[in-house]
Amino acid sequence: AASVGQHMFYDIYEDGEFIETFQYSKDAKGYLKDQSEFFFADTTLFEVRPRLEIFEKEEALKAFDMQIKAIENILGSTKMKIYLTGKGNYREKLATVQKYKGNRDNTEKPHWFYEVRDYAVNKHNAIVVDGNEADDAISVVAYRGYLQNPKNPTTVCVSIDKDLRNTPGYHLNPDCD
């Protein structure tokens, strides 16, 4: 949801003069390829400049509400628990060869990330899990729901994380149909 509050645009300049803006990097690259292949333009004179545009915070908060409402509509339920990863993770102590999730060190959070997170906690009563990941808590809750009625579980695990598919029961990936 926080990512909805921003977008990277790609501005094309030719010899320092602004030409056009593209919403996606692949479209900007396609434009340059077309200039080279069809118009025989010297693309060394072209420059693609990424430009991050930050939208209003309310856009990100509204996106969060819409995602929650979409999940409720798909499942036909308004009873849900939202889990967020908090501080500390026991896996960090176990990872001695490489830093746990060290490949994510240089990735920036979306501009409104912390505001959306606070909104989830304060408006939607999201539960912050310290000491491990939210996925661990989700898996435990989903598994308990499965154990209560294995033939027809009433708990649905909602996540885009493929690792949670190892938990028996019903699953919903909101990124897929």
Side-chain angles (χ1 to χ4, degrees):
S3 296
V4 171
Q6 67 187 44
H7 186 75
M8 185 69 75
F9 291 94
Y10 297 88
D11 298 331
I12 304 259
Y13 289 82
E14 181 181 7
D15 205 19
E17 183 180 329
F18 173 76
I19 301 295
E20 193 167 347
T21 296
F22 292 90
Q23 282 195 330
Y24 304 103
S25 172
K26 68 177 180 152
D27 295 335
K29 290 175 184 172
Y31 174 84
L32 293 180
K33 185 176 179 186
D34 289 348
Q35 293 302 308
S36 172
E37 291 179 2
F38 298 114
F39 302 108
F40 306 106
D42 180 5
T43 56
T44 60
L45 299 174
F46 288 85
E47 179 186 4
V48 178
R49 297 182 193 167
R51 174 178 48 87
L52 182 64
E53 190 169 318
I54 307 294
F55 305 126
E56 297 294 322
K57 175 175 71 173
E58 286 67 33
E59 292 295 316
L61 301 180
K62 188 166 68 173
F64 185 85
D65 285 337
M66 288 174 60
Q67 289 174 344
I68 296 299
K69 188 55 85 183
I71 292 166
E72 290 174 346
N73 288 339
I74 290 168
L75 297 177
S77 173
T78 58
K79 185 179 178 185
M80 86 172 53
K81 292 181 182 178
I82 301 169
Y83 292 90
L84 301 172
T85 299
K87 296 178 183 168
N89 187 328
Y90 74 93
R91 291 176 180 89
E92 293 167 352
K93 294 175 185 157
L94 298 175
T96 58
V97 175
Q98 288 185 338
K99 183 178 177 185
Y100 181 66
K101 293 193 178 181
N103 61 328
R104 299 181 186 179
D105 278 351
N106 295 326
T107 57
E108 276 188 47
K109 300 269 189 221
H111 183 78
W112 298 117
F113 177 82
Y114 293 103
E115 287 79 359
V116 171
R117 182 182 173 83
D118 290 343
Y119 182 76
V121 170
N122 295 322
K123 182 167 190 263
H124 292 277
N125 301 314
I127 300 161
V128 178
V129 178
D130 291 323
N132 55 16
E133 295 178 358
D135 297 351
D136 298 321
I138 293 169
S139 184
V140 168
V141 170
Y143 186 60
R144 285 181 184 154
Y146 171 79
L147 288 177
Q148 287 177 354
N149 190 356
K151 293 188 191 292
N152 190 20
T154 57
T155 303
V156 178
C157 180
V158 179
S159 177
I160 62 170
D161 190 338
K162 65 182 176 2
D163 294 340
L164 283 172
R165 289 190 223 145
N166 67 6
T167 304
Y170 294 125
H171 293 262
L172 170 66
N173 178 342
D175 284 356
C176 298
D177 291 337

